[in-house]
C-alpha cells in the first residue's frame, strides 16, 4: 500500500496552552516566594538585635496578638526546613529570641521604656512637645531619627547593664573567696583539734614519765627513797 507524501511529514505535538501557562505561573510564584524568603532573611539579620520590634518588623506598643501572628507568618516563611538559604537558621534563631523577649512582660516593659526615653530625648533635642505636629504625625524622617535614637539608648543601656553585671560578678567573686577562706580556716581548726585530741594520751604518758623521773625513785610501797648521805673524811 502506497504511503501518501503528506502522511510522511511529522505532525507537531499539540501542547495544552492552559497547562503550560499554569506551569509558568507556578515557576514564577516559586521564584517570587524564594526571593521573598531571601529578602526577609536578609532583613532580619540586618535588624538591630537589641530591638525586638525591629527584628519582627513591628511598631512599638502593638498588642500581643499581633506579635503572635507576625511571628507565626515569618517563622513559617523563613523556616530552615522550607528554604535552602544557608542563613536561614541564624535568622530563625534571631526571630525566635525577639518573639520570646516581646512575650516576656518584664523584658518588653524594659524595651518600651527605652523606646519612650529615645522619643523624649529626640523631642528635647528638637525642642518639641507631645502636642507638636511633628510628634503627632511623624513623617519618615522623624521615624528614622527616632529609630536611630532608640539604637543609641539601647546600646547605652546594654553597656550599663554589662558594667553592673561585671561589678556584681566581681562582688560575688569576692564574697565567694571570703566564704571559701572562712571554710578553709574552720576546716584547719577542726583538723588541729582532732590531731590534738588524738595525741592526748601520748602527752599525758610523757608528762607522767617526766614527773616520775623528776621526783626520784620510790620503794615498792610508793614511798620516795631517801638519798644516802656520803660520809666525809
Amino acid at each position: 500500500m502506497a504511503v501518501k507524501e503528506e502522511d510522511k511529514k511529522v505532525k507537531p505535538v499539540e501542547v495544552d496552552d492552559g497547562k503550560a501557562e499554569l506551569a509558568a505561573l507556578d515557576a514564577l510564584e516559586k521564584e517570587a516566594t524564594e526571593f521573598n524568603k531571601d529578602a526577609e532573611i536578609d532583613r532580619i539579620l540586618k535588624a538591630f538585635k537589641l530591638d525586638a520590634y525591629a527584628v519582627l518588623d513591628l511598631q512599638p506598643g502593638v498588642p500581643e496578638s499581633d506579635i503572635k501572628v507576625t511571628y507565626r507568618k515569618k517563622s513559617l516563611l523563613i523556616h530552615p526546613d522550607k528554604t535552602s538559604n544557608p542563613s536561614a537558621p541564624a535568622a530563625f534563631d534571631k526571630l525566635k529570641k525577639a518573639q520570646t523577649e516581646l512575650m516576656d512582660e518584664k523584658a518588653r516593659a524594659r524595651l518600651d521604656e527605652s523606646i519612650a526615653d529615645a522619643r523624649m530625648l529626640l523631642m528635647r533635642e528638637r525642642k518639641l512637645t507631645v502636642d507638636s505636629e511633628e510628634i503627632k504625625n511623624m513623617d519618615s524622617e522623624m521615624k528614622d531619627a527616632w529609630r536611630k535614637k532608640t539604637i543609641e539608648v539601647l546600646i547605652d543601656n546594654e553597656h550599663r547593664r554589662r558594667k553592673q553585671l561585671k561589678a556584681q560578678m566581681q562582688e560575688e567573686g569576692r564574697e565567694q573567696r571570703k566564704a571559701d577562706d572562712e571554710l578553709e580556716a574552720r576546716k584547719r581548726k577542726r583538723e588541729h583539734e582532732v590531731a590534738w585530741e588524738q595525741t592526748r594520751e601520748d602527752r599525758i604518758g610523757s608528762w607522767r614519765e617526766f614527773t616520775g623521773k623528776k621526783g626520784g625513785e620510790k620503794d615498792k610501797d610508793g614511798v620516795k627513797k631517801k638519798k644516802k648521805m656520803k660520809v666525809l673524811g
Side-chain angles (χ1 to χ4, degrees):
M1 182 178 179
V3 179
K4 295 181 179 180
E5 191 67 27
E6 56 270 20
D7 293 337
K8 293 181 180 179
K9 295 179 180 180
V10 178
K11 295 182 180 181
V13 178
E14 295 183 1
V15 178
D16 190 330
D17 292 339
K19 289 183 178 180
E21 289 177 0
L22 286 175
L25 288 173
D26 287 342
L28 287 173
E29 184 175 351
K30 184 177 181 181
E31 183 179 347
T33 300
E34 288 301 318
F35 176 80
N36 291 337
K37 290 180 179 181
D38 292 341
E40 182 61 17
I41 289 171
D42 186 60
R43 185 200 67 77
I44 291 172
L45 293 177
K46 288 181 178 178
F48 186 55
K49 66 178 182 179
L50 295 179
D51 186 355
Y53 289 114
V55 176
L56 282 163
D57 198 20
L58 290 170
Q59 290 298 317
V62 296
E64 189 176 291
S65 57
D66 286 5
I67 297 172
K68 292 179 179 179
V69 170
T70 300
Y71 170 73
R72 178 170 176 78
K73 288 181 178 179
K74 293 185 181 298
S75 62
L76 289 174
L77 178 65
I78 68 165
H79 197 283
D81 291 343
K82 297 182 180 296
T83 176
S84 58
N85 191 314
S87 299
F92 186 81
D93 289 343
K94 188 174 180 179
L95 189 73
K96 178 61 179 176
K97 289 179 181 177
Q99 186 260 357
T100 300
E101 180 180 352
L102 291 182
M103 295 303 292
D104 182 281
E105 187 176 345
K106 291 182 179 180
R108 187 179 180 186
R110 287 194 297 269
L111 178 58
D112 288 342
E113 183 178 356
S114 297
I115 294 174
D117 289 345
R119 181 169 173 264
M120 290 300 297
L121 289 172
L122 184 62
M123 290 167 55
R124 190 179 302 166
E125 288 177 2
R126 301 195 178 193
K127 299 180 180 180
L128 301 172
T129 67
V130 291
D131 296 323
S132 299
E133 186 63 26
E134 295 92 329
I135 297 300
K136 286 184 176 180
N137 299 296
M138 288 190 179
D139 56 17
S140 58
E141 188 277 330
M142 181 62 76
K143 289 179 179 178
D144 185 58
W146 187 10
R147 280 193 295 270
K148 290 179 180 178
K149 184 61 67 176
T150 297
I151 291 175
E152 292 178 11
V153 171
L154 288 172
I155 290 175
D156 184 61
N157 289 346
E158 180 64 13
H159 282 317
R160 190 180 297 109
R161 185 191 70 82
R162 292 186 182 187
K163 188 176 180 180
Q164 291 174 346
L165 181 60
K166 183 179 180 180
Q168 180 182 347
M169 291 177 67
Q170 289 176 341
E171 181 61 28
E172 289 176 352
R174 284 193 292 269
E175 291 296 328
Q176 185 61 48
R177 287 192 295 272
K178 182 180 178 182
D180 291 342
D181 290 343
E182 291 176 352
L183 181 63
E184 184 64 25
R186 289 196 297 270
K187 182 180 178 181
R188 287 196 300 268
K189 183 179 179 181
R190 285 196 302 270
E191 290 175 348
H192 176 72
E193 290 173 349
V194 170
W196 179 262
E197 186 64 27
Q198 288 175 344
T199 59
R200 180 172 177 272
E201 292 299 326
D202 293 338
R203 292 196 310 276
I204 293 174
S206 298
W207 174 253
R208 286 173 177 170
E209 184 180 351
F210 171 74
T211 54
K213 288 181 178 179
K214 186 177 180 181
E217 295 182 358
K218 297 181 180 180
D219 59 17
K220 61 180 181 180
D221 295 324
V223 179
K224 183 177 178 181
K225 293 181 178 179
K226 294 181 180 180
K227 291 183 178 181
K228 293 181 179 180
M229 301 293 289
K230 291 183 178 180
V231 179
L232 296 176

